Amino acid sequence: MIRSLSIPERQVALALSVALALLGLAMAAAARHGAMAVHGAMAMALGLALLFALGGALYDPDAPADRARRYYDEPTRFGIVMTLCWALIGMGVGVWVAALLYWPEATPPWPATSFGRLRPVHTTSVIFGFGGNALIATSFHVLQRTSRARLADAISPWMVLIGFNLFCAWAVTGYLMGSTQSKEYAEAEWYADIWLVVIWVTYFVLYLRTLARRAEPHIYVANWYYMAFILVVAMLHIVNNIALPVSLAGAKSFTIWAGVQDAMVQWWYGHNAVAFFLTAGFLGMLYYFLPVRSGRPIWSYRLSIVSFWGIVFFYIWVGSHHLHYTALPYWVQTLGMTFSVMLLVPSWASAGNAIATLNGAWHKVRDDATLRFMFVAAVFYGLSTFEGSFLAIRPVNSLSHYTDWTVGHVHSGTLGWVAMIIFGAIYTLVPQLWGRETMAWPRAVEWHFWLAVTGTLIYVVSMWNAGITQGLMWRTYDANGALSYSFLQSVQAMAPYYLLRTIGGALFLTGAVICALNCRATMRAASEGATATDRPLAPQPAE
Amino acid sequence: MSRQSHHEVEIDPITGHETTGHDWNGIRELNTPFPRMVIWALSLAFAYSVVAWVLLPAWPLGRDYTRGLLGLDQGRMAVENYRHLEQARADWVVPFASADFASLATNPGLMARAMPAAARLFADNCAACHGVEATGGPGFPSLADGAWLWSADPAAIAETLRYGINSPHTDTRFSQMPAFGRDGLLTREQVAAVADYVLALSSGNADPDSHGAAIFAENCSACHGDAGSGGLGIGAPVLADDHWIYGGTRDDILATLGGGRQGVMPAWEGRLSPAEINMLAIYVSRLNDGGNAGDGR
Amino acid sequence: MLRLHYNLEKLSMGLVVGIIVAASIGGAVEIAPLFTIDETVAIPDDLRPQTPLELAGREIFIREGCYACHSQMVRHLADEIDRYGPYSLAAESAYDHPMLWGSKRTGPDLARLGGKYSDAWHVAHLINPRAVAPTSIMPAYPWLTARLDTDILSAELATLALLGVPYSEDMVANAGRDALAQSRPDSDGAANVTERYGETVAIRAFDGDTSRLTEMDALVAYLQSLGTLTRAAYETLGQEAAR
Ligand code: HEM
Ligand code: HEM
Ligand SMILES: [Ca+2]
Ligand SMILES: [Ca+2]
Ligand SMILES: [Cu+2]
């Protein structure tokens, strides 16, 4: 990694590491105890580790002279490794919390491992750790390839990746220590939130600067989506996380929003975390890897335009469908509902565009498990957006809200769509970036595929059953007009579904473990210093 | 962007459509015409939305919002629907608002309809303390054992439910077991003696001439009745049976005598309607009646 | 149109501006009016802010992630009114930074919990839910018997006051003392708590032990306050019926 930096760059990186260590020291010293002090110590340790690594290699041979003629893939490689690590952590915790709901006595008597603290560890690890690293890593790859240009500089990709992973690590360790803002998918405390803003601005600037070097005058669709992801996530993150810290020397803060306005801001954010983190960015991924792997042109450029702007415009309106029948005014709910229905059209247009792209490549879908991952992802994207628009209709939501149906919908989107497209991208990228023809164990990809599909189906079907049963039990009236079931009966009725969900999740996790091992074997088998064989169009201007 | 890559527009052999002529590292796009179906779907979804916007509250207007032609208000609708529910069951619920327990409990038609509802109310409100089977637990009395603190009479039970026992309600029933040990009312030795006597009482072989019996007669009978026979209607349990709230081991009894007890039963007035409370009172009064009260959810 | 887009695609800043504009409209239209339309939140006269002890409990509720399983929002639906009580009003969470409406009911809604159970029950349930509800799947929280840290409470009230929660200077200054006093009904400070926060505040030894102020005291005090900060929801139910 360090060898890819020039000596002056190593010096800059060294200075940044010192700055990070000092920041960590300042945090730890100011807070003295609690989550913020631990996080300060973590930052300091990371800064020092980077410092030693850089210091030790400062005067190693300079970066290869011809590096400007190559793509800068080291950050992508690092991002893929982090994606796999977070996949195992996040899904491992997912299976564990799923098991706890079936078997609560298994909870160890320590605060850190209780369900309520682990649940956000799961969601943050999978969405931000697994999904986020995959997005950043692939965005660097896609950006360079579709621009035919090397990343604009060598330092900021590392700042983005390392800084982002520090954010994820702060977030999940914070929850274990009980430090959380409780805002779903934005639980991390104020200083981590500010840190993420800095990282994100760096990311955005890098993106724009690299785009400016592109060889093709037109910007490819995948980049529109990645840009929407970066920009809108920044906007959502900042507004939803505005908070007043109780003291600059402590983790605790209070969101400035309160009550009904806070609920609206939270779900404006929460839904669009789904839309722009879990959808827009991954559509970018799909728009690149699907045509590349299938060797087919995108089916319709015109459809791409309409679906892109449809998604960007409509999505922002629909957050209020998380608040149907609540104290949020009815008018906002109507807007959320109607826009969710309209949103289905651009969503299906994207899914349809992806599937139609495979016309002429169906034999590849049959034979190539990697391409099949992408195909299944597109199908589940279509399914979960249809389900989402359906759930957003008020009367449907009166049944589904608060139940496991929502959880089923979530995982049809995250397992079926997000995770599948990530795996498809990983299986395409890993051999390419480590200079190999194929994955080390091609048969294992096939195994992974079937484990993932079976696991997803078991998970999603059991949660549909669970959710609908729950929703009905809560509102079923007997012939005399009295409620039929107590709440506890609905809890008891969930047991078989929670068990099934755990099994489905375990299958999915097994697939992910196989994937990680396969990737490791592929990476290890790579010859020393192997790099991707493709090259930018022309040498890049000096950095 | 100085070096423009120029590409020819080609015809894709599989679909027969033209490409756009752009090329991103080998990725091409087809210039497939915009599918009509999407326009139709979008128009349909938009039409649905317009109808919804016209009929329902929808668009904000600064300090107000459009109310919609249907004039719907979700709060009012919820309450109306709730009133409909109440009306639909009024014929069997309203009679329970009267406190004529004797005639209510002997009306099989009413009881058949009310007891399942009472069972659900019990499960959602009472089972947390008294148990799903109403058999109680440590600190919470069993309601199914026929041993009553206050009374087996539904009217008295209804009063307990309405106001609670030692609850914050102003009309609460009040009962307290003094802390003989902690407050120094009895010596250690006396407490031990009376504890042994209480243990003996429950197993039916108490010695009325023992030291413990004497202490009991002096300090305890006022509340627990002679020889712990209870029945004084002040919430003190019978001690001559083997039903316990706080446990019947010697240690449990020593703890009761040492620190006293003041169990709290919440007041349900305001949370449950008078009819629901009376329904539950009858349900509870029959719990030890060979399971006739209902299905015991 | 197509031509326009054809050119837009060549400008990265053009796309950036386009995305920002397209993605701002919806949020602005839905969020801003929530501050300007008066009926969105109607603050009732009897609404009180949480006491310092309850606030400390709320933070434990957040810390432990109880909101992951429990909603605090009775929806505007007849069956929810039937099961839980009057539907929740916006005003009831007007001082909540952040709100805890929740999004999942693995356990029951807690919006109307205050007064439903006794303190002793809550303590037993939190220490081990299966001791009182054998089929419960709620985790046990035995560590809540730890001492409550009250040092930060004054600063917290001050921060909330800045955000518009009606805490007086008096309340801010005495936050730590009030927290202790609320758990000691026989102490001198107990009357101050009533004076500052009103008659409806429960002043009890929530964990059954006046000698120590524990996290359990705080959490139970918080749970017992849910739905009791104003009577407005109950009144609305009555008024609506009268219409
Ligand atoms: C091994 C696979 C997985 C298992 C077993 C699993 C299990 C779970 C469980 C048990 C919950 C809590 C549900 C509840 O509270 O009732 C949950 C929530 C969640 N999971 Fe997963 N999960 C898995 C993978 C993923 C992945 C890959 C993602 C995202 C990329 C994801 C995203 C989420 C989200 C967003 C929630 C919160 C849902 C909500 O609040 O409604 N999960 N998961
Ligand atoms: C047209 C697209 C979609 C619409 C209209 C939609 C709509 C909805 C609705 C109505 C809910 C339930 C809200 C509630 O009752 O609490 C929901 C929850 C959720 N959806 Fe979707 N959905 C869509 C696509 C997706 C996709 C593709 C994913 C994942 C990749 C996803 C992830 C989630 C998550 C994580 C939640 C749970 C939020 C929470 O309560 O924590 N959705 N969505
Ligand atoms: Ca945050
Ligand atoms: Ca949720
Ligand atoms: Cu949503």
Side-chain angles (χ1 to χ4, degrees), chain C residues 73-123:
Chain C
M73 171 51 59
V74 181
R75 289 182 294 168
H76 293 63
L77 290 168
D79 57 294
E80 300 216 347
I81 299 176
D82 212 1
R83 187 181 299 275
Y84 296 111
Y87 60 77
S88 299
L89 304 180
E92 290 179 280
S93 47
Y95 300 145
D96 283 4
H97 296 264
M99 56 84 207
L100 292 174
W101 295 5
S103 69
K104 180 78 213 303
R105 273 186 195 151
T106 303
D109 189 271
L110 302 181
R112 302 277 166 252
L113 183 70
K116 186 180 176 195
Y117 301 132
S118 62
D119 301 338
W121 183 83
H122 280 300
V123 173

Side-chain angles (χ1 to χ4, degrees), chain C residues 104-220:
Chain C
K104 180 78 213 303
R105 273 186 195 151
T106 303
D109 189 271
L110 302 181
R112 302 277 166 252
L113 183 70
K116 186 180 176 195
Y117 301 132
S118 62
D119 301 338
W121 183 83
H122 280 300
V123 173
H125 182 246
L126 287 165
I127 299 271
N128 178 12
R130 274 156 296 286
V132 289
T135 54
S136 175
I137 57 171
M138 173 163 146
Y141 296 93
W143 55 85
L144 294 178
T145 48
R147 200 185 72 82
L148 179 73
D149 182 1
T150 53
D151 295 347
I152 195 183
L153 282 175
S154 273
E156 290 188 346
L157 261 67
T159 312
L160 286 170
L162 276 179
L163 293 174
V165 181
Y167 286 122
S168 65
E169 276 174 31
D170 223 21
M171 291 169 169
V172 171
N174 292 294
R177 268 182 293 275
D178 284 350
L180 187 64
Q182 195 183 346
S183 74
R184 291 190 177 165
D186 300 328
S187 69
D188 296 340
N192 294 336
V193 178
T194 311
E195 193 190 316
R196 281 194 266 272
Y197 295 92
E199 293 289 335
T200 57
V201 173
I203 300 185
R204 296 195 293 260
F206 295 96
D207 69 353
D209 177 2
T210 45
S211 66
R212 292 173 73 235
L213 180 61
T214 60
E215 296 192 332
M216 187 65 88
D217 279 312
L219 183 56
V220 174

Side-chain angles (χ1 to χ4, degrees), chain A residues 93-103 115 459 498-499 501-502 505:
Chain A
V93 176
V95 174
W96 177 240
V97 292
L100 286 184
L101 287 181
Y102 178 71
W103 189 29
F115 179 90
Y459 192 128
Y498 286 171
L499 178 61
R501 184 247 303 266
T502 311

Side-chain angles (χ1 to χ4, degrees), chain A residues 145-146 148 215-216 218 221 296-302 306 326 333-334 338 477 480-481 484 487 489, chain B residues 3 5 12 14 22 24-25 27-32 34 53 57-58 65 74 85 89 92 113 124 297:
Chain A
R145 288 340 188 253
T146 57
R148 290 238 173 173
E216 161 70 46
H218 287 261
V221 198
R296 294 285 305 147
I298 289 292
W299 182 65
S300 171
Y301 157 69
R302 298 170 188 225
V306 170
T326 65
Q333 302 177 24
T334 306
T338 50
Y477 279 86
N480 299 317
S484 294
F487 189 88
Q489 283 176 303
Chain B
R3 299 162 318 285
S5 53
D12 173 47
I14 290 169
H22 304 142
W24 296 274
N25 206 17
I27 301 180
R28 313 272 177 98
E29 292 170 325
L30 299 180
N31 212 357
T32 309
F34 196 77
W53 297 336
Y65 57 89
Q74 61 166 359
L85 282 178
R89 56 195 181 209
W92 57 271
R113 303 176 76 183
D124 265 345
R297 288 207 196 42

